[in-house]
Amino acid sequence: MSKMKAEYIWIDGHQPTAKLRSKTKVIEGSINNLDDIPEWGFDGSSTMQAEGHDSDCLLKPVYYVKDPLRGEDHILVMNEVLQADGSVHESNTRAQLVDIAEKFKDHEPWFGIEQEYTFFVGRSPLGWPEGGYPAPQGPFYCGVGADEVFGREIVEEHMDACLEAGIEISGINAEVMPGQWEFQVGPVGATDAGDQLWLARWLLYRISEEYGVNATLHPKPVKGDWNGAGAHTNFSTKSMRENGGMKVIEAACEALGENHDGHIAIYGAHNEERLTGLHETCSIHEFRYGVSDRGASIRIPMATAKDGHGYLEDRRPSANMDPYQVCAALIKTCCS
Ligand code: ADP
Ligand code: MN
Ligand code: MN
Ligand code: MN
């Protein structure tokens, strides 16, 4: 029987921002569905998920894709973390999303997440002069040319890898700050959005590693007059997408305004450094929504306002947010 490699990926207990971990299991035979992938375990005392005297945690495979880096039959497996007794671990935010997605499934929620990130080499963003600064922001967003964009070969390789894996990546662009980029995942359902975004992040880190480059999701990687990094979350339900949806979108915006603090609490650590009211953001202390307004908390796209139905863009989540928590919060607030 032939052997294949499964990369088991999970989310650790690191605070305030969880990190990805992974290790490889060689499996005999072939994998045709999720049930063929065995459960596995790891040392939770090394991932901030257990104490040393009782350190076993379980990995429960919940989603898998082709491994675009190893090729052949190899796979990447997303896992939920369980305690040794099989109960849900407190770091496992996916389990909560699964419950909420099931409860509100008749609303058919869709998500499209814009993941911004910044390449670093050592202590400087990629392409920045050692210990110094590039020219002020302006020409870099969606730029072209060796003096304006840095790291495109990694970005292209990452996009190809996502496509090969079957992740619903819908585009990429160079961002406002040099060395900063974005990719989008979606629109897909809530659990898929979470799983695919985490896997796409893993691929980004893994591919960047080959180039000696580190991709960071810090919301404000360079202090001062430089754009932060967010994860705008585009959201719609069936009734928002149908005729008359604008009313449903406005009601959702009102509900989001009433729950602003609760959302901010799970929209990513250090987000207050990014949501200042400058650099195409609304202050973290305010809530506003508006059509085509990139200075608002929630933007209703122009096309949605024109058509009278469509989706809303929550611009508040930071690049380092947990999509399982963000998707769950949006469904809960907008569909209840
Ligand atoms: P921006 O203009 O803010 O940069 P992008 O084009 O980067 O927007 O991202 C928009 C995202 O919204 C994409 O991921 C897209 O798939 C997603 N999207 C489009 N329509 C919907 C919808 N009806 N519901 C949820 N997400 C959607
Ligand atoms: Mn975008
Ligand atoms: Mn962007
Ligand atoms: Mn956006």
Side-chain angles (χ1 to χ4, degrees):
M1 270 240 259
S2 68
K3 293 182 173 177
M4 50 84 66
K5 294 172 232 173
E7 190 72 14
Y8 281 61
I9 299 170
W10 75 96
I11 296 162
D12 74 3
H14 196 268
Q15 291 290 339
T17 303
K19 292 169 183 285
L20 285 165
R21 309 270 178 153
S22 76
K23 58 177 183 168
T24 310
K25 188 177 189 62
V26 175
I27 296 175
E28 208 147 322
S30 60
I31 301 295
N32 298 309
N33 59 62
L34 198 57
D35 294 338
D36 296 338
I37 309 172
E39 286 195 353
W40 204 13
F42 67 98
D43 168 13
S45 71
S46 299
T47 61
M48 289 138 193
Q49 283 164 310
E51 302 291 338
H53 57 85
D54 182 16
S55 68
D56 279 1
C57 289
L58 291 180
L59 292 174
K60 176 186 156 201
V62 287
Y63 185 79
Y64 76 104
V65 295
K66 275 170 67 170
D67 182 341
L69 306 181
R70 288 178 171 146
E72 296 177 33
D73 296 340
H74 308 302
I75 57 173
L76 305 177
V77 187
M78 194 68 203
N79 293 272
E80 280 189 22
V81 174
L82 305 182
Q83 316 254 41
D85 66 4
S87 60
V88 171
H89 191 275
E90 63 173 357
S91 64
N92 179 348
T93 54
R94 186 185 188 276
Q96 297 157 31
L97 172 61
V98 169
D99 289 346
I100 287 172
E102 172 61 27
K103 188 169 165 202
F104 294 99
K105 67 171 185 245
D106 292 346
H107 292 258
E108 298 179 29
W110 289 359
F111 293 87
I113 303 177
E114 305 169 50
Q115 176 69 67
E116 295 180 338
Y117 60 94
T118 313
F119 288 132
F120 268 75
V121 180
R123 297 172 67 174
S124 299
L126 183 64
W128 288 37
E130 186 64 42
Y133 294 90
Q137 294 183 160
F140 307 110
Y141 170 74
C142 297
V144 61
D147 57 338
E148 294 195 350
V149 297
F150 308 100
R152 194 189 294 276
E153 65 278 36
I154 308 177
V155 173
E156 289 283 328
E157 198 175 320
H158 175 254
M159 179 165 47
D160 285 342
C162 288
L163 288 170
E164 177 78 19
I167 291 170
E168 293 285 340
I169 189 167
S170 56
I172 60 105
N173 61 268
E175 269 303 336
V176 175
M177 186 180 99
Q180 205 166 74
W181 293 83
E182 170 181 316
F183 66 84
Q184 304 101 31
V185 169
V188 288
T191 314
D192 282 347
D195 291 338
Q196 294 191 14
L197 190 71
W198 277 113
L199 286 175
R201 286 172 174 179
W202 188 89
L203 282 167
L204 179 67
Y205 296 137
R206 180 65 190 84
I207 291 167
S208 301
E209 192 184 305
E210 300 289 318
Y211 291 83
V213 168
N214 163 41
T216 175
L217 304 186
H218 196 287
K220 192 73 178 181
V222 184
K223 315 296 168 222
D225 202 13
W226 303 95
N227 270 37
H232 298 167
T233 302
N234 299 275
F235 170 69
S236 65
T237 59
K238 187 164 179 280
S239 59
M240 291 181 188
R241 295 187 293 268
E242 287 172 349
N243 279 339
M246 194 65 185
K247 277 211 160 51
V248 185
I249 291 172
E250 280 164 2
C253 289
E254 293 292 337
L256 287 166
E258 278 158 32
N259 290 281
H260 180 63
D261 294 344
H263 280 250
I264 288 295
I266 51 123
Y267 274 12
H270 316 295
N271 205 8
E272 69 285 352
E273 296 177 31
R274 164 181 164 262
L275 295 182
T276 58
L278 301 172
H279 305 112
E280 301 168 64
T281 70
C282 183
S283 163
I284 198 165
H285 305 296
E286 285 169 42
F287 178 90
R288 284 190 292 125
Y289 66 93
V291 173
S292 198
D293 183 356
R294 288 177 193 267
S297 317
I298 309 279
R299 177 177 67 104
I300 299 170
M302 182 58 83
T304 293
K306 262 196 193 140
D307 297 345
H309 56 90
Y311 62 99
L312 61 84
E313 176 193 44
D314 191 341
R315 301 176 60 81
R316 298 170 295 171
S318 63
N320 59 358
M321 60 76 151
D322 171 5
Y324 295 137
Q325 285 179 271
V326 170
C327 293
L330 281 166
I331 293 174
K332 234 189 198 165
T333 301
C334 300
C335 298
S336 296

